[in-house]
Amino acid sequence: MAARPWITLLRLVNLSTMLSVRVRGTRLASRVTRTSLSQTQVRNFHSRKDTAPAINKTWRSFAIAGAVSAPGFWLLTSTRDDDVPRLEAPPTGHLVAEPGPSKEEVTRIISQDAYSFPVRSVTGVNRYDGTQLASNSLCEDRFTHGIFPSPLNDGTQWMAWAVFDGHAGWQTAELLKDQLLLFVRHSLSKVKSASTGEKSMPDEVLQHAIVKAFLDLDDSIVKTALQTAQSSEPLQDKLKKLAPAYAGSCALLSMYDSVTGSLHVACTGDSRAVLGQQKPDGTWEAIPLSVDQTGSNEDEVARINQEHPGEENIAKDGRILGMMVSRAFGDSRWKWSLDLQQDLKQRFGGPSPLTPKYDVRTPPYLTAEPVVTTTKIDPGKPSFVILATDGMWDTLSNQQAVDLVGKWLDAQIHGHPISQPKTEYKRVDFGDLGNGVDWEFEEGRTTIQDDNAAVHLVRNSLGGNHHELIAGRLALGSPFSRHIRDDVTVQVAFFNCPHLLPK
């Protein structure tokens, strides 16, 4: 049976490749030049009727190979430069590693995601600063901030700031960033629409509407999972919808009503809000606007035990069935039935059920219900609110954070010079922390050198003017950095501080 032309050509190409390697280029070129092959001969080469001696077939094959391989031959012999990376650095014979962050690099790292906005359109608010420092890759924290129309429909503007501390992934925090304030505004607008002729909304009514918005959003994350699993949607769409239920997030939302001067703070989890208010003697008072909701909070433990009578060891070692926080969005393993956990694990690659490590009998064990507080901002006193995820509060107390911002404000007014360490610190490693070197904030390490108040807090929470300590905490990336520090997100909003507005 005759060989198919394309198979023959393929063989010839292979032959040409081998010959190109074995034969010097000049000899190959000369042989191809001496070989004369007409189109008729090429056609006869593929015919079964060809009775020429084998040697003729060999020469014809060789000639075809030369003709077919001409482009490849050119590529092999060309001296044209190409875009392939050149590895020309000489060997050193020893490990070459980048040095740790310099003082300038420390500032760049903690400032690269910073922002600051002067505010003129909302009475009482002068400015707010913020920043975020990632430890995870991707960072699991999210935040939002800005102006929105009053839900009371009175033509004024409200302001909102919020931080979301994600865990076991960023997906829940990302959803909260986009959706939580929308749910709250919708809930407040429904309450306002139902009221009759009232110019303001009682604090209790407003707080109830905020609570309902939080719970409604969490229900849409958690309780629609069964509907999603049973739907006819494509697999990829189901997985996207289930991801925010697999992960979890705390939420801390603060809203300021410029008409009443009220600051409404809703907290689910262990992110924290603190109000700093200046006293007549010039010092600063720290007023907590939220309380951490964790397995170490005795009130939270008592609430959970009351909701699940007869179940021992729900709260153990400061955790709720292994979870640090006692309230959170998502975290559906603490809210779904065991059967649903197992089904979603098998069908959609969900997280492993809490059993057999934990005794799951009567979920849900976690809730997204927030604790809401309302605080009047005194228009006659300079003040500020600090919102931060627990990555900052791991090393700073409420009062320490307020004092740091107070000193920063004083420096903005009086133009204090950049503070530098007055003494040299001895070499340290992380084994020294807690053994002669304080892991948490230390007054003697305070430094004021940042134009952004949130960056100022982050710097001092990580080591202040102790360069080796702060640079060491920033030297490692994910996943190793998680043993040293958490994701950190900070916002600071200033009230009745007109000197902060640009002139």
Side-chain angles (χ1 to χ4, degrees):
M1 184 174 181
R4 297 176 182 175
W6 65 270
I7 295 178
T8 304
L9 286 174
L10 182 60
R11 292 171 178 166
L12 293 175
V13 171
N14 292 337
L15 177 60
S16 73
T17 302
M18 292 185 291
L19 290 172
S20 297
V21 174
R22 297 177 180 177
V23 183
R24 294 178 62 87
T26 54
R27 293 176 60 192
L28 177 59
S30 64
R31 289 186 182 182
V32 172
T33 303
R34 291 197 302 269
T35 303
S36 175
L37 191 63
S38 67
Q39 293 181 355
T40 302
Q41 288 174 314
V42 173
R43 287 196 297 270
N44 289 340
F45 177 78
H46 297 296
S47 172
R48 294 182 62 189
K49 296 180 181 179
D50 188 357
T51 57
I55 187 64
N56 291 338
K57 291 184 178 181
T58 302
W59 278 108
R60 289 171 183 167
S61 174
F62 186 77
I64 289 289
V68 172
S69 66
F73 174 72
W74 179 85
L75 288 173
L76 287 172
T77 59
S78 172
T79 59
R80 179 178 61 89
D81 289 338
D82 53 39
D83 296 328
V84 176
R86 297 185 179 277
L87 309 177
E88 297 179 345
T92 62
H94 61 275
L95 177 65
V96 179
E98 291 289 331
S102 64
K103 291 182 179 180
E104 292 74 17
E105 288 169 332
V106 165
T107 297
R108 178 188 59 78
I109 292 170
I110 63 176
S111 303
Q112 61 187 356
D113 292 318
Y115 52 90
S116 182
F117 290 92
V119 181
R120 297 181 177 87
S121 58
V122 178
T123 303
V125 185
N126 306 115
R127 167 178 158 173
Y128 64 91
D129 295 355
T131 196
Q132 185 173 80
L133 176 65
S135 180
N136 290 292
S137 181
L138 296 168
C139 180
E140 294 178 343
D141 281 7
R142 295 292 187 272
F143 60 88
T144 191
H145 52 84
I147 298 172
F148 64 96
S150 167
L152 305 180
N153 299 320
D154 56 7
T156 62
Q157 300 289 319
W158 283 27
M159 293 207 67
W161 304 273
V163 296
F164 309 106
D165 184 358
H167 46 261
W170 50 266
Q171 292 85 350
T172 315
E174 178 75 14
L175 185 146
L176 295 179
K177 173 182 72 71
D178 295 333
Q179 297 292 326
L180 182 58
L181 185 58
L182 295 179
F183 269 69
V184 170
R185 291 177 59 188
H186 176 69
S187 182
L188 290 172
S189 66
K190 290 178 65 176
V191 172
K192 176 59 179 176
S193 299
S195 64
T196 55
E198 295 182 2
K199 294 184 179 181
S200 61
M201 186 182 299
D203 290 344
E204 296 78 9
V205 175
L206 184 143
Q207 292 173 1
H208 178 77
I210 295 174
V211 169
K212 185 179 186 306
F214 274 54
L215 292 175
D216 286 348
L217 178 52
D218 194 51
D219 282 350
S220 71
I221 296 171
V222 175
K223 293 185 178 179
T224 58
L226 182 58
Q227 179 182 351
T228 298
Q230 294 176 344
S231 73
S232 59
E233 296 179 76
L235 174 62
Q236 63 271 24
D237 293 349
K238 292 180 180 179
L239 294 178
K240 283 289 187 180
K241 288 186 176 181
L242 289 170
Y246 294 161
S249 181
C250 303
L252 180 64
L253 171 65
S254 176
M255 298 185 299
Y256 178 69
D257 177 357
S258 60
V259 174
T260 64
S262 299
L263 185 67
H264 309 286
V265 174
C267 177
T268 292
D270 62 355
S271 296
R272 194 184 308 168
V274 179
L275 179 69
Q277 186 170 266
Q278 193 169 39
K279 296 188 289 186
D281 63 359
T283 61
W284 293 88
E285 179 185 8
I287 304 171
L289 303 182
S290 69
V291 177
D292 298 355
Q293 301 155 359
T294 69
S296 299
N297 183 321
E298 294 182 359
D299 292 336
E300 286 292 283
V301 172
R303 174 184 63 80
I304 292 172
N305 287 334
Q306 185 176 10
E307 293 174 355
H308 304 274
E311 296 185 50
E312 299 177 357
N313 297 323
I314 293 178
K316 186 177 181 180
D317 299 326
R319 295 177 177 267
I320 307 300
L321 297 181
M323 174 61 70
M324 179 72 74
V325 294
S326 55
R327 305 191 190 208
F329 284 84
D331 288 323
S332 296
R333 287 184 294 168
W334 286 262
K335 300 171 184 178
W336 284 335
S337 68
L338 184 57
D339 289 342
L340 181 56
Q341 292 184 49
Q342 293 170 338
D343 179 61
L344 296 182
K345 168 64 176 176
Q346 180 179 2
R347 297 173 58 202
F348 303 109
S352 298
L354 291 179
T355 55
K357 187 174 183 179
Y358 300 106
D359 185 10
V360 177
R361 303 185 201 175
T362 57
Y365 295 96
L366 301 185
T367 178
E369 180 178 350
V371 174
V372 185
T373 61
T374 298
T375 305
K376 299 292 184 181
I377 301 297
D378 189 336
K381 297 180 180 179
S383 57
F384 52 83
V385 61
I386 303 170
L387 286 79
T389 55
D390 69 329
M392 189 192 79
W393 301 115
D394 285 342
T395 59
L396 284 176
S397 69
N398 291 357
Q399 189 63 55
Q400 287 169 340
V402 167
D403 287 343
L404 279 169
V405 176
K407 291 178 181 178
W408 179 90
L409 270 173
D410 191 51
Q412 306 308 304
I413 298 172
H414 300 292
H416 288 177
I418 294 175
S419 60
Q420 298 291 349
K422 297 179 180 179
T423 59
E424 291 296 328
Y425 295 103
K426 69 174 185 178
R427 289 282 180 261
V428 297
D429 58 41
F430 294 129
D432 296 322
L433 297 178
N435 184 25
V437 177
D438 201 334
W439 173 272
E440 298 179 351
F441 171 77
E442 191 174 84
E443 181 70 26
R445 300 197 295 245
T446 300
T447 182
I448 305 172
Q449 54 183 289
D450 301 291
D451 293 332
N452 185 297
V455 174
H456 168 72
L457 282 172
V458 170
R459 183 190 296 275
N460 282 280
S461 73
L462 293 175
N465 62 26
H466 193 319
H467 173 67
E468 188 173 3
L469 181 56
I470 187 172
R473 280 172 156 162
L474 296 174
L476 293 178
S478 177
F480 308 108
S481 57
R482 284 294 286 113
H483 301 296
I484 303 168
R485 57 184 175 85
D486 196 359
D487 295 331
V488 179
T489 303
V490 184
Q491 295 176 332
V492 185
F494 295 94
F495 306 92
N496 310 310
C497 299
H499 60 277
L500 290 180
L501 285 172
K503 297 178 181 180

